Amino acid sequence: MTVARYAARTTAFAAAYLLAYWAGIPLAVLSPVAVAAVWMLAQGRWGLRRFDVITLATLTAASAIAHGAGMLMAFGLAAAVTLPAMIFAVLLERWLPGWWQGHGDRFRPRRTRLVRLAAVAALTAVTSVVLQAILSPEPSVYDVSLRLARDVVTLLAVTLAGRALLRPRTPQRTGLTLVR
């Protein structure tokens, strides 16, 4: 991948993340952690994840400051989004190697794939909720459980939708002919 193409992909993911972040604050139904997690997962195979982490943390901190947060709170929010996104990408690559690229699925039953994906989403959501609970003063049980459910559902939905859109279901045959 060229540097220009990598920069274009990073810009597209940054725009999608900012849209989710700005829309997710007043609506409270859209989790920016899900978009950040898919960003880290999709860009991970290019080996430049450190630049994506820096970009994600900077965008989160700048958006939080634009919303009126102080500098320390902005850095805390950046950590509360970036760390779960990294955990999601690393765990998914470890527990389901090759799943995002579309290979390796033949040897795993569908149930196993979904259970592992759900486990990764749940662990990521728990990490996100714990970090956000540390930042917010006296979170209620209702708020924590609602955030946990929202994060798990959006992580699963965004990941499955992203993989379905980017990867074909059937292998494409190229250059094969029928010999009689």
Side-chain angles (χ1 to χ4, degrees):
M1 173 177 280
T2 63
V3 174
R5 187 168 177 208
Y6 184 80
R9 282 175 57 113
T10 301
T11 304
F13 276 115
Y17 172 75
L18 284 176
L19 181 66
Y21 186 85
W22 284 84
I25 288 175
L27 297 177
V29 294
L30 189 59
S31 175
V33 174
V35 177
V38 171
W39 177 0
M40 292 297 135
L41 184 64
Q43 294 282 83
R45 72 181 191 149
W46 305 113
L48 301 172
R49 186 171 278 162
R50 62 188 175 275
F51 297 125
D52 292 317
V53 168
I54 292 168
T55 305
L56 177 62
T58 304
L59 282 173
T60 304
S63 296
I65 289 171
H67 270 285
M71 188 68 74
L72 187 60
M73 183 64 149
F75 288 147
L77 287 172
V81 170
T82 306
L83 285 168
M86 284 302 302
I87 287 172
F88 182 81
V90 170
L91 280 180
L92 195 68
E93 288 172 356
R94 299 279 177 157
W95 290 1
L96 288 171
W99 180 78
W100 183 257
Q101 284 84 23
H103 56 78
D105 289 344
R106 306 180 275 211
F107 305 111
R108 279 186 220 109
R110 181 177 294 222
R111 176 180 285 165
T112 303
R113 286 179 281 178
L114 289 177
V115 166
R116 288 183 182 182
L117 179 63
V120 170
L123 285 173
T124 303
V126 166
T127 305
S128 174
V129 166
V130 166
L131 290 172
Q132 288 175 0
I134 291 170
L135 292 173
S136 64
E138 301 177 20
S140 67
V141 175
Y142 174 74
D143 185 41
V144 169
S145 61
L146 187 64
R147 283 184 186 182
L148 185 65
R150 177 198 67 184
D151 285 351
V152 169
V153 168
T154 56
L155 275 166
L156 286 172
V158 169
T159 304
L160 290 172
R163 186 174 184 274
L165 289 174
L166 298 177
R167 305 288 175 232
R169 289 185 182 257
T170 59
Q172 296 177 357
R173 296 182 180 192
T174 56
L176 295 177
T177 60
L178 183 62
V179 178
R180 292 180 191 208

